[in-house]
Amino acid sequence: VAVPAEDHGHLGMRNCLYSEIPPSFDNDTPCLGAFFAKERKVYVCYTQQGPRRTVLSEFMVPDGENFQADMRSERVLMEIPHPQTTHWSGCITFGPDGYLYLSVGDGGLRDDPYRMAQNLWALHGKILRIDVDHRSGALAYAIPEDNPFVKKAEVRGEIWAYGLRNPWGLSFDRQTKTMWCADVGQDRWEEINLIKPGANYGWSEREGGERFISREKVSLVEVISDSRRDAHDVRAVSEDAGALGSHDEVPVVKVDV
């Protein structure tokens, strides 16, 4: 990474450490996502094989005019194994609360065959929220005390929201401080969700606002309805990511929360 020291915004995929960390390329598996953080540190989410996994790491940035990470300083915060080669997601951002948010896909293939997105002991199909400045027990990070499931022994405390398929895009509204997420659909629906703590967005019991066909014989789980959903046919493109802007910045865009 080599950018001006005053530039601490979001860095796009493939720009950060690209020549030094060999990412995995396989179908819709992302390669890199990065975010410049406080105190001259860089946080990077990248993919690896042998075994298949997502790696979330912290790199130190030495003092100097150039904001350039020291590859030797890598501190691995989290590694998430994946059963298949698709739907890994891996978008990271820092919220206005100072915590790091990470999106994780359901693990791959069609239909979420392992039911990962609704499994609250798995990190797949979720948005996670962690504190990178402190530690909880043997973890390389801390779990914020106000995370929605932190006091439930049967649920991973890192989980902020769940029931997502392949949530590529995370973005905070700078005015309202709300989080939005673009979630890639399977056959009929694409979603842009207003993310709320502890909320279940339905996958793979539902796709968009409809009951998922392969789950019709199973009792329906309670889901949240705060989302924009677009129907499509198999020829349509997916809603992958993007930054949230107010209608003052783009006059034709207005989102009422």
Side-chain angles (χ1 to χ4, degrees):
V1 181
V3 296
E6 67 272 15
D7 186 353
H8 298 273
H10 182 269
L11 185 68
M13 295 169 68
R14 299 183 182 169
N15 291 332
C16 179
L17 312 174
Y18 180 75
S19 61
E20 310 222 22
I21 295 179
S24 303
F25 292 93
D26 197 344
N27 296 324
D28 60 350
T29 300
C31 55
L32 295 172
F35 195 97
F36 294 148
K38 55 188 176 182
E39 299 174 359
R40 299 188 72 84
K41 296 176 183 177
V42 175
Y43 295 88
V44 183
C45 183
Y46 61 96
T47 62
Q48 291 286 276
Q49 298 286 350
R52 291 186 295 261
R53 66 197 188 279
T54 289
V55 182
L56 175 65
S57 289
E58 173 191 272
F59 292 85
M60 300 298 296
V61 179
D63 292 335
E65 293 184 1
N66 292 328
F67 195 90
Q68 185 166 348
D70 181 354
M71 292 296 300
R72 299 167 297 179
S73 69
E74 181 177 15
R75 180 170 76 96
V76 176
L77 299 171
M78 181 185 295
E79 292 188 283
I80 303 174
H82 293 285
Q84 300 295 335
T85 59
T86 58
H87 300 181
W88 291 14
S89 188
C91 180
I92 59 177
T93 189
F94 280 87
D97 52 15
Y99 294 131
L100 184 147
Y101 293 77
L102 166 67
S103 64
V104 185
D106 66 8
L109 296 181
R110 294 176 57 83
D111 302 344
D112 186 15
Y114 306 108
R115 305 286 184 94
M116 292 287 208
Q118 293 294 319
N119 182 345
L120 291 177
W121 191 245
L123 298 180
H124 301 79
K126 315 293 192 300
I127 293 174
L128 312 180
R129 179 182 185 245
I130 63 173
D131 178 355
V132 297
D133 295 323
H134 302 90
R135 298 190 180 192
S136 296
L139 297 174
Y141 53 88
I143 299 175
E145 294 183 357
D146 59 346
N147 273 14
F149 303 111
V150 73
K151 295 183 179 180
K152 294 189 176 183
E154 71 278 12
V155 181
R156 290 290 297 265
E158 298 94 332
I159 297 173
W160 185 250
Y162 66 106
L164 299 160
R165 183 173 181 267
N166 197 18
W168 280 83
L170 298 179
S171 184
F172 277 92
D173 186 314
R174 287 176 293 181
Q175 296 179 1
T176 66
K177 312 300 182 185
T178 53
M179 173 192 277
W180 294 81
C181 176
D183 192 14
V184 180
Q186 179 164 289
D187 292 325
R188 282 189 44 77
W189 295 91
E190 305 293 320
E191 297 187 13
I192 298 177
N193 291 309
L194 171 62
I195 300 299
K196 295 184 176 181
N200 180 3
Y201 291 87
W203 179 256
S204 57
E205 299 297 323
R206 291 180 179 271
E207 183 184 12
E210 300 177 348
R211 188 69 196 276
F212 194 50
I213 295 175
S214 65
R215 304 285 192 263
E216 287 182 343
K217 295 181 180 180
V218 182
S219 59
L220 186 63
V221 298
E222 183 177 353
V223 300
I224 197 166
S225 61
D226 288 313
S227 63
R228 167 195 154 190
R229 299 182 171 108
D230 292 332
H232 63 73
D233 60 28
V234 295
R235 298 168 295 176
V237 297
S238 65
E239 290 181 356
D240 289 345
L244 183 66
S246 70
H247 61 282
D248 293 330
E249 297 167 336
V250 183
V252 297
V253 176
K254 183 176 181 179
V255 178
D256 295 319
V257 178

